[in-house]
Amino acid sequence: MDLGSCYLGGNADAVEFCPHRPFRHVLAAATYTLQEQGGERQDRAGSVSLFAVDAGEEDAPRRLRLLHTVETAGVFDMKWSPVAPLLAQADAHGRLALWRLEQEDGSDKGAVLRDVCSGDISSSMCLFVDWNQTAKALSVGLSDGSLSVVSMREDRLEVSEQWTAHQYEVWTCYFDRANPHLLYSGSDDCSFSCWDLRQNPSNAVFQNKKSHNMGVCCIAQNPLEGNMLLTGSYDEFLRVWDIRSMVKPVNVKSLNLGGGVWRIKYHPLIADVVLAACMHNGFAIVKVGTGDAAVVETYCKHESLAYGADWQINEGAEQNKNFSVVATCSFYDRLLRVWQPENLGNL
C-alpha cells in the first residue's frame, strides 16, 4: 500500500530511516546531481532532506511531510550511527560530514540537522560509508579503489588508515558486526574482500575474484546469524555466503533479481527478510533463510534506476508484519516513495 510520494530537487540515490527514539519517524533522503557549468567544468551538487513519516495518519499527504533540507556536495551514501542520532554523509568532493539530528523548538515531530564536523578524506570521491558498532570509527569506500578507516574524535574526524584495496571503485564496505576488526569490501573490479584491521590492512584475509561476474555493490550481514553474509552485484545476483571458513568463504546459494543489486537491507524485526534495490528492475523483498532464497514481493512503481531503500523501525511491525514501512527512491526521475509491503504477513 502506498503511503506517500514526492519529487526531490536532485537525482535521488539514498534513503535512511533514523533508528533512534524519539526520531524513528524521521527519514533522510539524499541527492546527487551532476551540473554543467560551461565548457568542461562540472559540479556535483546534492542535498539531504528530512521527512516525517507517519503511517498512522488518515490524511495521505500528512504521511510524508518535509521537515528540513540542507544543501551539500553530491551525496553518494549516508548512514545513521548505531548509538546516537548522528548521520554520516559520504560525498563527491571527497569529504565525510557528520550531522546531528535534533528536535526543533521542542516539538516531538519537528527535526533539523545540525553540523557537527567534516573532514577531507581523499581527493577522490567518497562512495560509501559504514559505522562500526561502537560508533568510534567509520569506513569509507573511494572512487580510486582505496579504503579509509576514519576515527571519531571529540570535534573532528581523523583518517587512521588508508590503503589501495581494489583496482577500481570501491562501491561498498562493511564492518563485521561481531568482529569489528574485520572489514569487508566490494568493488567494480568484481572482487569481494575482507581485511583484518589489527594487521597491516594491505594484507587481505581473503579476496574472491571469481564468484561475481560484475562489480560488487553491497554487503549485509544477517543480524541473528553472523556467519551468513550477503553480497549484491551488477551481475543481478544476490549471493549468500557462509563465512565460518574466513580464509575461503563459501557461496551457499544465489538468486537472480533481474537487475543490478545496488542495496540490500535486512528487516529490523524479521531476521530472514531482505529489501533489495535492483536498479533497472525496481525493488524486491526476498526471504533468505535456511532453504532456498525466494522473492516474496516486488515493487515497480518507480520509473528510473532503483537506488535507495530502507525499512522503518516501528513498534507496529512487532505485532503485525504487514505494518512494516519501506522508503525507496529512484535516480533520474528524482522520486521518493513510502509504502507498506503486502505479503510479509504470510511468512
Side-chain angles (χ1 to χ4, degrees), residues 65-294:
R65 295 182 290 110
L66 178 64
L67 300 174
H68 182 61
T69 298
V70 292
E71 302 297 328
T72 71
V75 180
F76 280 106
D77 190 43
M78 58 184 178
K79 293 290 189 315
W80 293 102
S81 160
V83 301
L86 283 176
L87 184 66
Q89 165 198 312
D91 72 35
H93 290 180
R95 293 175 68 80
L96 188 63
L98 293 188
W99 304 90
R100 178 176 289 108
L101 182 60
E102 297 180 353
Q103 291 179 337
E104 184 180 31
D105 301 327
S107 168
D108 62 349
K109 290 297 184 182
V112 295
L113 289 173
R114 306 290 189 198
D115 181 29
V116 176
C117 62
S118 62
D120 292 319
I121 305 302
S122 172
S123 58
S124 299
M125 294 183 290
C126 295
L127 303 180
F128 195 90
V129 61
D130 188 46
W131 297 81
N132 72 357
Q133 288 304 93
T134 64
K136 294 180 179 179
L138 304 99
S139 58
V140 182
L142 299 167
S143 61
D144 66 355
S146 298
L147 274 169
S148 288
V149 176
V150 181
S151 298
M152 277 278 295
R153 305 304 182 194
E154 288 186 3
D155 59 351
R156 72 186 192 279
L157 298 170
E158 184 178 289
V159 177
S160 56
E161 301 275 4
Q162 187 164 295
W163 70 99
T164 300
H166 294 275
Q167 187 176 358
Y168 302 122
E169 292 92 339
V170 178
W171 292 125
T172 186
C173 48
Y174 190 93
F175 283 106
D176 189 291
R177 291 340 192 206
N179 303 290
H181 60 276
L182 296 178
L183 179 65
Y184 305 100
S185 61
S187 165
D188 216 41
D189 62 9
C190 306
S191 65
F192 163 44
S193 304
C194 178
W195 314 86
D196 189 336
L197 301 179
R198 298 172 301 181
Q199 305 170 5
N200 184 341
S202 62
N203 294 323
V205 176
F206 70 79
Q207 284 190 305
N208 181 297
K209 299 182 178 180
K210 297 181 179 179
S211 296
H212 303 87
N213 298 321
M214 299 178 73
V216 181
C217 305
C218 50
I219 299 169
Q221 190 172 21
N222 187 307
L224 295 183
E225 177 47 71
N227 292 321
M228 180 187 291
L229 206 69
L230 306 182
T231 59
S233 170
Y234 281 129
D235 66 13
E236 303 186 353
F237 278 90
L238 177 71
R239 291 178 172 83
V240 182
W241 298 84
D242 184 331
I243 56 172
R244 282 176 291 186
S245 175
M246 180 55 66
V247 176
K248 191 175 182 180
V250 179
N251 182 196
V252 295
K253 65 186 80 169
S254 301
L255 179 66
N256 191 317
L257 295 182
V261 186
W262 180 250
R263 286 289 180 268
I264 43 179
K265 298 283 186 71
Y266 268 97
H267 193 289
L269 300 170
I270 310 173
D272 57 357
V273 170
V274 175
L275 173 65
C278 305
M279 298 185 74
H280 292 286
N281 198 37
F283 297 87
I285 295 175
V286 183
K287 184 175 175 60
V288 188
T290 54
D292 291 337

Side-chain angles (χ1 to χ4, degrees), residues 11-60:
N11 298 332
D13 61 354
V15 291
E16 296 285 331
F17 275 106
C18 183
H20 303 293
R21 293 187 174 93
F23 298 112
R24 288 181 171 180
H25 66 287
V26 175
L27 171 69
T31 67
Y32 164 90
T33 305
L34 188 62
Q35 298 176 331
E36 304 292 339
Q37 295 188 321
E40 296 183 357
R41 293 183 60 209
Q42 295 178 328
D43 184 37
R44 295 174 171 88
S47 65
V48 178
S49 297
L50 299 181
F51 292 86
V53 176
D54 191 344
E57 288 280 354
E58 293 183 6
D59 182 12

